[in-house]
Amino acid sequence: MPAGTSPLPSGPVAAAKLIVAYHRAHGVLPTVAGSTGSEEAELYRALARIRLLYRQGRLEPKAAEVLEKKIPGWADGDSYNSERLWRQRRDELIRWMKKAKRPPHYASGDDAERALAAWISAYRKHARHGRHPDRIKELDTKVPGWSESPEWTPST
């Protein structure tokens, strides 16, 4: 792609539709990590411009409507990704606990299990310090026993 050209159509509504299509195809919003000149990089720049216009109250209402309808929380930046990652990890834990019938253990030989155990450890600390009360309550409700220390029985 020649320097100074953009594959994006002009206007925030058209860019919003492309961002929605990207999100539908990839499951995430475009990030700053996209390689220079890539579709992701161009869409990230468009998203950053749209977010700025939105914060300034200058975004065309139709563009905000397109994004909000398909990607609630799109304007939140990092908190959007944080919330998405929280839900993904919570769902991984739910699946893990249903299958294993115990909380994951940090001494496991399985990388995925250790990662979940580390995540749980962080949320135990959050619970002790009164942080993220809504998330803690949701874990207590959806994943009973999540905060209990698991008994470790190494595989033989």
Side-chain angles (χ1 to χ4, degrees), residues 18-58:
L18 288 174
I19 292 165
V20 166
Y22 181 91
H23 183 269
R24 188 177 322 120
H26 300 280
V28 296
L29 286 168
T31 68
V32 71
S35 58
T36 304
S38 69
E39 175 192 27
E40 181 179 19
E42 293 296 321
L43 288 173
Y44 175 76
R45 286 185 26 216
L47 178 60
R49 284 190 307 268
I50 288 172
R51 282 178 172 155
L52 177 63
L53 290 171
Y54 180 78
R55 285 192 304 271
Q56 294 172 340
R58 297 179 18 216

Side-chain angles (χ1 to χ4, degrees), residues 84-97 116 119 138-139 142-143:
R84 180 181 53 80
L85 292 173
W86 148 254
R87 287 189 309 267
Q88 285 177 339
R89 189 59 77 160
R90 176 205 60 205
D91 292 348
E92 287 175 39
L93 180 61
I94 290 169
R95 286 189 299 275
W96 169 266
M97 297 277 292
L116 278 173
W119 184 80
E138 186 173 345
L139 286 171
K142 292 185 176 185
V143 196

